[in-house]
Amino acid sequence: MKNQSEKTVKLRKDAEKIFRAGLAAVEPGAAIHKFCRRSNDTLHIGNKNYELSRFDRIHVIGAGKAAAPMATAIEEILGDKISDGVINVKYGYVSKPGKIKVIEAGHPVPDQNGKDGTESIMDIAESAGKNDLVICLISGGGSALLPLPAKGITLKDKQDTIKVLLSCGASIDEINSIRKHISRIKGGMLARTVYPAALVSLILSDVVGDDLDVIASGPSVPDSSTYEDCIEIIRHYEISDRLPEIVYSHICKGASGLISETPKPGDPVFEKTVDLIIGSNMEAILSAKKKAEGLGYNTIILSSMIEGETKHVARVHAAIAKEIRKTGNPLPAPACILSGGETTVTLTGNGRGGRNQEFSLAAAMDISRDKDIVVFSAGTDGTDGPTDAAGAVADTKTVKRALEKNADPRTFLSNNDSYNFFRVIDDLVFTGPTNTNVMDLRIILVA
Amino acid sequence: MKNQSEKTVKLRKDAEKIFRAGLAAVEPGAAIHKFCRRSNDTLHIGNKNYELSRFDRIHVIGAGKAAAPMATAIEEILGDKISDGVINVKYGYVSKPGKIKVIEAGHPVPDQNGKDGTESIMDIAESAGKNDLVICLISGGGSALLPLPAKGITLKDKQDTIKVLLSCGASIDEINSIRKHISRIKGGMLARTVYPAALVSLILSDVVGDDLDVIASGPSVPDSSTYEDCIEIIRHYEISDRLPEIVYSHICKGASGLISETPKPGDPVFEKTVDLIIGSNMEAILSAKKKAEGLGYNTIILSSMIEGETKHVARVHAAIAKEIRKTGNPLPAPACILSGGETTVTLTGNGRGGRNQEFSLAAAMDISRDKDIVVFSAGTDGTDGPTDAAGAVADTKTVKRALEKNADPRTFLSNNDSYNFFRVIDDLVFTGPTNTNVMDLRIILVA
């Protein structure tokens, strides 16, 4: 038996229930069914209605780790109304075969399968006429699973380009600007190809802030960056000599007007596009919140956009929990703090762990002088770093229990060995693969 | 003119007003007068009443950077009822002379003046009889300004001990346990000396969480640590050879029962002690909250106990501000987020700056794609790190304005050069010395 108060035992059970409720809201099939409904000839997508009989054909395309269950759900809704379809998924992420062809491809490193699949997807987009509807299913991993470099550029050129940009310290926005300008599908290029058919993108967001132009590098949305911007970035970081020659010359040609720009805001190709986020970190948080309220907790959503170094982010969460205990701010106990997003771990050791396990470990150290606080952090995809755990749960006695087993939390934290820390005290959280990914979910309960 | 929207201009003005309101609540004199009142023969301290005529003598002792204005306020209240008094203050932190003797001493490194002053303070404590009242004024710096090592131990021995403990990775709790066991005034030893006189400690807390046994190393409160614990710490870190011989032998004697323990919880010497926190980070936050509400903001107190690496703590605050803008969580705009505590800065560069300036710089980078958010962070003592600024203010255009002046925020942040960053765009916050210190105050406004 663990040395836990009755209250803590209940908090731990509640935290898991709240997490499960969050997960349920972003299960890909459930998310599709929540936003897409069919009644006879009418397809309701979000707050839009489509008369199916007005379309000559309906095509389904897409990519991402959750694309297969999303496609299954779309087939459940549209059945034989679907003319054809191709989606790219990560190796092993397939579902039972239907009308939509599922192509397994490389992730996170794109491969030839991915490129071949993306060409099939673009063939469908190209074939769609003005009385057609194209439904595009996008989820985490969509960018790597939709590799289609501009003419003459190989997958290797593209990877080398990203490596150069990462090593010179370019920001994620800068990297995305260049990525979009050396692709035939990203940065709104898919929308241009689909046009004049109608394009509805159903998106499961794995990106902090849910920016449509960032998710899968924005194949269906306007690109506000330009070839000129790319030249500026290359100049600023002085990397013209380090980029693959074909990439640099492509961008120079684009900036000289020899290659047409990605479609910009206001471009007519976006007149018939709709982008709908059907699952996101906030969707999971809102569902978790409802559950927490049902369990009797005063609940606060801190933010779905939390970033930063995990152990310090954890300290801020712990400080809020301690303040709840001490003064009832920002809300009175019994309280549930919810937050999401994706933090980072800067490795200083060679242990095993993940963001969520490290979060719970760091928080455990800060709450160890308090009582009846539970910290639960887990990845919604069911995997946390290179481990088989989704995350870990901690309470105010976690440090004490670990010390009794000669596990010093400071040593494990500085060695980034949160997995083995929580294994010692049997507090890892396992969910198995969830088929979804809307980043991480953190639940802090104060009795 | 700065490139600021009307809304942002108002937010910036409001943030400063809210900060000033927070400061006003913890001005040492104001704080004393708020908690101590006299009506004829009755002295009201907190919710306790003292009949002055029942005391033979009233003594005033104390130490800390704010002790002088606290003493002035006590003299304003008690006047010639005060028999005698001695306080230790940091060099230069004096006020106009009164009945209470003010001794200037070394801080943060204790010196002979501090030791002499502490001996005078202990003489008063010793002289107090059972019909006397001793009022003890404690504020930030009190620990260094009350140096009185145990017999045979020099100030240098004590400093060497702390250095060894810091370098071996001992926790702050462990350091405090040893500190209390090599002192004649800390860890409740003052209370033992004052007994059987009544002892009222009025405390301006500069410590995260306001733990009474941590503030000035708890001269008036029970010490739950023991000489045995000290031996355990020395064993754990294997530092018996590295500690000054006199310190190690003192602790061994204590553990063998040859030297009496510090007074423990339940010890009769605490029967007549009262400890009252008259100023704290939370007091400042509550006053700031009232002001923010008066200015029309929905207000949330995140925590007064925020710790962790500044730039990551800043990112969490920025994420909350962005969530307010995006979804109205955790509260709808116009919103004011308040937080306090004391973060750390791990130096990676050789620039100039402080916690608060670095906080505002890191937050500015995360809100630069948003609008009408203002981040204000400043130290309540009016100084932030080794600079003449108290902190800095940032808004969503801060990064843009800096880039226009060729100041790249990333470069300044990685060089810990927040002071020069904000100097370029004229956004440093100056207050001059405030005579108080309840750590830092952070105000984030979202219009």
Side-chain angles (χ1 to χ4, degrees):
Chain A
M1 270 307 296
K2 291 181 179 180
N3 170 19
Q4 285 162 355
S5 72
E6 256 181 64
K7 273 189 188 171
T8 291
V9 171
K10 179 165 187 321
L11 291 181
R12 292 168 69 103
K13 282 183 188 159
D14 287 350
E16 174 142 11
K17 284 179 198 164
I18 294 166
F19 178 71
R20 294 278 174 185
L23 268 192
V26 290
E27 192 280 313
I32 289 279
H33 283 291
K34 189 170 161 194
F35 284 88
C36 304
R37 235 169 7 91
R38 180 181 169 188
S39 47
N40 301 319
D41 188 48
T42 309
L43 177 64
H44 309 274
I45 299 187
N47 56 11
K48 289 214 162 21
N49 299 319
Y50 297 84
E51 301 306 311
L52 294 174
S53 55
R54 297 178 72 179
F55 293 111
D56 291 343
R57 292 181 302 168
I58 298 177
H59 316 273
V60 180
I61 57 177
K65 285 187 266 181
M70 288 170 86
T72 301
I74 282 290
E75 290 197 16
E76 285 161 7
I77 294 165
L78 290 174
D80 54 14
K81 287 282 179 185
I82 297 170
S83 309
D84 56 2
V86 174
I87 56 169
N88 282 0
V89 304
K90 185 172 174 170
Y91 289 108
Y93 283 57
V94 292
S95 56
K96 60 178 188 294
K99 198 158 208 167
I100 301 161
K101 191 175 170 191
V102 178
I103 294 175
E104 295 180 74
H107 177 280
V109 179
D111 66 3
Q112 188 61 38
N113 267 17
K115 196 178 165 200
D116 293 346
T118 308
E119 269 165 5
S120 302
I121 286 167
M122 286 300 263
D123 286 345
I124 289 179
E126 192 72 56
S127 76
K130 80 171 167 38
N131 296 321
D132 285 4
L133 171 64
V134 177
I135 296 175
C136 181
L137 310 172
I138 295 290
S139 58
S143 192
L145 290 167
L146 285 177
L148 196 63
K151 204 176 158 212
I153 300 175
T154 64
L155 286 179
K156 186 173 179 308
D157 291 331
K158 207 182 128 178
Q159 284 162 42
D160 291 345
T161 302
I162 305 299
K163 273 184 209 158
V164 169
L165 289 165
L166 285 171
S167 71
C168 75
S171 71
I172 187 69
D173 285 345
E174 290 168 337
I175 294 174
N176 281 338
S177 296
I178 290 188
R179 206 197 301 259
K180 289 174 182 176
H181 282 89
I182 58 174
S183 165
R184 277 184 284 154
I185 186 166
K186 288 159 188 176
M189 297 291 273
L190 175 67
R192 177 178 283 165
T193 310
V194 165
Y195 187 81
L199 174 61
V200 175
S201 298
L202 302 176
I203 301 161
L204 196 62
S205 165
D206 68 334
V207 162
V208 172
D210 306 328
D211 290 335
L212 290 173
D213 67 330
V214 176
I215 303 168
S217 304
S220 61
V221 295
D223 174 24
S224 50
S225 71
T226 64
Y227 279 110
E228 287 285 354
D229 294 337
C230 296
I231 291 282
E232 197 49 53
I233 293 162
I234 292 166
R235 275 205 196 113
H236 178 80
Y237 294 104
E238 301 175 357
I239 50 173
S240 58
D241 291 348
R242 293 170 58 202
L243 290 177
E245 172 56 29
I246 181 82
V247 167
Y248 183 49
S249 69
H250 174 86
I251 290 170
C252 289
K253 280 182 205 163
S256 311
L258 299 173
I259 300 171
S260 61
E261 259 294 351
T262 52
K264 298 286 164 273
D267 192 299
V269 305
F270 299 110
E271 276 165 13
K272 291 172 80 181
T273 61
V274 169
D275 295 280
L276 188 65
I277 291 179
I278 59 159
S280 65
N281 192 265
M282 184 49 92
E283 288 286 332
I285 288 180
L286 288 171
S287 176
K289 179 173 196 264
K290 206 170 155 190
K291 185 70 181 181
E293 286 169 347
L295 290 167
Y297 294 91
N298 302 309
T299 304
I300 188 174
I301 296 174
L302 215 52
S303 177
S304 66
M305 292 185 263
I306 304 279
E307 297 177 281
E309 182 70 25
T310 304
K311 61 188 172 190
H312 300 290
V313 171
R315 300 201 73 181
V316 177
H317 285 69
I320 299 171
K322 290 193 289 183
E323 191 68 61
I324 290 172
R325 166 74 66 237
K326 194 176 177 202
T327 69
N329 283 297
L331 76 176
C336 172
I337 308 168
L338 294 168
S339 89
E342 194 165 291
T343 60
T344 43
V345 171
T346 304
L347 295 179
T348 55
N350 57 4
R352 281 183 78 193
R355 306 182 287 278
N356 292 284
Q357 295 160 70
E358 184 148 321
F359 181 93
S360 292
L361 170 53
M365 291 165 64
D366 272 9
I367 59 171
S368 66
R369 292 175 69 171
D370 227 298
K371 63 170 195 160
D372 298 325
I373 298 174
V374 160
V375 173
F376 186 108
S377 183
T380 54
D381 62 354
T383 52
D384 186 34
T387 76
D388 57 351
V393 60
D395 62 47
T396 54
K397 293 276 186 281
T398 291
V399 166
K400 188 163 180 283
R401 281 197 300 277
L403 288 174
E404 283 165 5
K405 301 202 172 187
N406 289 315
D408 186 330
R410 285 178 291 185
T411 310
F412 282 80
L413 182 59
S414 65
N415 198 28
N416 301 116
D417 203 15
S418 49
Y419 181 82
N420 287 313
F421 177 83
F422 284 108
R423 200 168 55 163
V424 166
I425 52 172
D426 198 21
D427 273 336
L428 290 165
V429 171
F430 294 99
T431 62
T434 62
N435 281 320
T436 192
N437 181 17
V438 295
M439 303 176 287
D440 302 328
L441 200 50
R442 293 175 286 271
I443 299 153
I444 314 216
L445 300 179
V446 184
Chain B
M1 272 306 295
K2 290 181 178 179
N3 170 19
Q4 286 163 355
S5 72
E6 255 180 65
K7 274 189 188 172
T8 292
V9 170
K10 179 165 187 323
L11 291 182
R12 292 168 68 103
K13 282 184 188 159
D14 287 350
E16 174 142 10
K17 284 179 198 164
I18 294 166
F19 179 70
R20 295 278 174 185
L23 269 192
V26 290
E27 191 280 312
I32 290 278
H33 282 291
K34 189 170 161 194
F35 284 87
C36 306
R37 236 170 5 91
R38 179 181 171 187
S39 48
N40 302 319
D41 189 47
T42 309
L43 177 65
H44 310 273
I45 299 186
N47 55 12
K48 290 214 163 18
N49 299 319
Y50 297 85
E51 302 305 311
L52 294 174
S53 56
R54 298 179 71 179
F55 293 111
D56 291 343
R57 291 181 302 168
I58 298 178
H59 316 273
V60 180
I61 58 176
K65 285 188 265 182
M70 289 170 86
T72 300
I74 282 292
E75 290 198 16
E76 285 161 7
I77 294 166
L78 289 174
D80 54 14
K81 286 282 179 185
I82 297 171
S83 309
D84 57 2
V86 174
I87 57 170
N88 282 0
V89 304
K90 184 172 175 170
Y91 289 108
Y93 283 56
V94 292
S95 56
K96 61 178 187 294
K99 196 157 209 169
I100 301 162
K101 191 175 170 191
V102 178
I103 294 175
E104 296 180 72
H107 177 280
V109 179
D111 65 4
Q112 189 61 38
N113 267 16
K115 196 178 165 201
D116 293 346
T118 308
E119 271 166 4
S120 301
I121 287 167
M122 287 299 263
D123 287 345
I124 288 179
E126 192 73 55
S127 76
K130 79 172 168 40
N131 295 321
D132 286 3
L133 171 65
V134 177
I135 296 175
C136 181
L137 310 172
I138 295 290
S139 57
S143 192
L145 290 167
L146 284 177
L148 196 63
K151 204 177 156 210
I153 299 176
T154 64
L155 287 178
K156 184 171 180 310
D157 291 332
K158 207 182 126 179
Q159 284 161 43
D160 290 345
T161 303
I162 305 298
K163 272 184 208 156
V164 169
L165 288 165
L166 285 171
S167 70
C168 75
S171 71
I172 189 69
D173 286 345
E174 290 169 337
I175 294 174
N176 281 338
S177 296
I178 291 188
R179 206 197 300 258
K180 289 174 183 178
H181 282 88
I182 58 173
S183 165
R184 279 185 282 155
I185 187 167
K186 289 161 187 175
M189 297 291 273
L190 174 68
R192 178 179 282 164
T193 310
V194 165
Y195 187 81
L199 174 61
V200 175
S201 298
L202 302 176
I203 301 161
L204 196 62
S205 166
D206 69 334
V207 162
V208 173
D210 306 328
D211 290 336
L212 291 172
D213 67 329
V214 176
I215 302 168
S217 304
S220 61
V221 295
D223 174 25
S224 49
S225 70
T226 64
Y227 279 110
E228 287 287 353
D229 294 337
C230 296
I231 292 282
E232 197 48 54
I233 293 162
I234 292 166
R235 274 204 196 113
H236 179 80
Y237 294 104
E238 301 175 356
I239 49 174
S240 58
D241 291 349
R242 293 170 57 203
L243 290 176
E245 172 56 28
I246 181 82
V247 167
Y248 183 50
S249 70
H250 173 86
I251 290 170
C252 289
K253 280 182 205 162
S256 311
L258 299 173
I259 300 171
S260 63
E261 259 294 351
T262 52
K264 298 286 164 272
D267 192 299
V269 305
F270 299 110
E271 277 163 14
K272 292 172 78 180
T273 62
V274 169
D275 295 281
L276 188 65
I277 291 179
I278 59 159
S280 65
N281 192 265
M282 184 49 91
E283 288 286 333
I285 288 179
L286 288 171
S287 177
K289 179 173 195 267
K290 206 171 154 188
K291 185 70 182 182
E293 286 168 348
L295 290 167
Y297 293 91
N298 302 310
T299 303
I300 189 175
I301 296 174
L302 216 52
S303 178
S304 66
M305 293 185 264
I306 304 279
E307 297 177 281
E309 181 70 26
T310 304
K311 60 188 173 190
H312 300 291
V313 170
R315 298 201 72 181
V316 177
H317 285 69
I320 299 171
K322 289 193 290 183
E323 192 68 60
I324 290 172
R325 165 74 65 237
K326 194 176 176 200
T327 70
N329 282 297
L331 75 175
C336 172
I337 308 167
L338 294 168
S339 90
E342 193 165 292
T343 60
T344 44
V345 171
T346 305
L347 294 179
T348 56
N350 57 4
R352 280 182 79 192
R355 305 183 288 278
N356 292 285
Q357 295 161 68
E358 184 148 322
F359 181 94
S360 292
L361 169 53
M365 290 165 65
D366 271 9
I367 59 170
S368 65
R369 292 175 67 171
D370 227 299
K371 62 171 194 160
D372 297 326
I373 298 174
V374 160
V375 173
F376 186 108
S377 184
T380 55
D381 62 354
T383 51
D384 186 34
T387 75
D388 58 350
V393 59
D395 61 48
T396 54
K397 294 276 187 279
T398 291
V399 166
K400 189 163 180 282
R401 280 197 300 275
L403 288 174
E404 283 165 5
K405 301 201 172 187
N406 289 316
D408 186 330
R410 286 179 290 185
T411 310
F412 282 80
L413 182 59
S414 66
N415 199 26
N416 303 115
D417 203 14
S418 49
Y419 180 82
N420 287 313
F421 176 83
F422 283 108
R423 200 168 56 163
V424 165
I425 53 172
D426 198 20
D427 273 336
L428 289 165
V429 171
F430 294 99
T431 62
T434 62
N435 281 321
T436 191
N437 181 17
V438 295
M439 303 176 287
D440 302 327
L441 200 50
R442 293 175 286 273
I443 299 153
I444 316 224
L445 300 180
V446 184

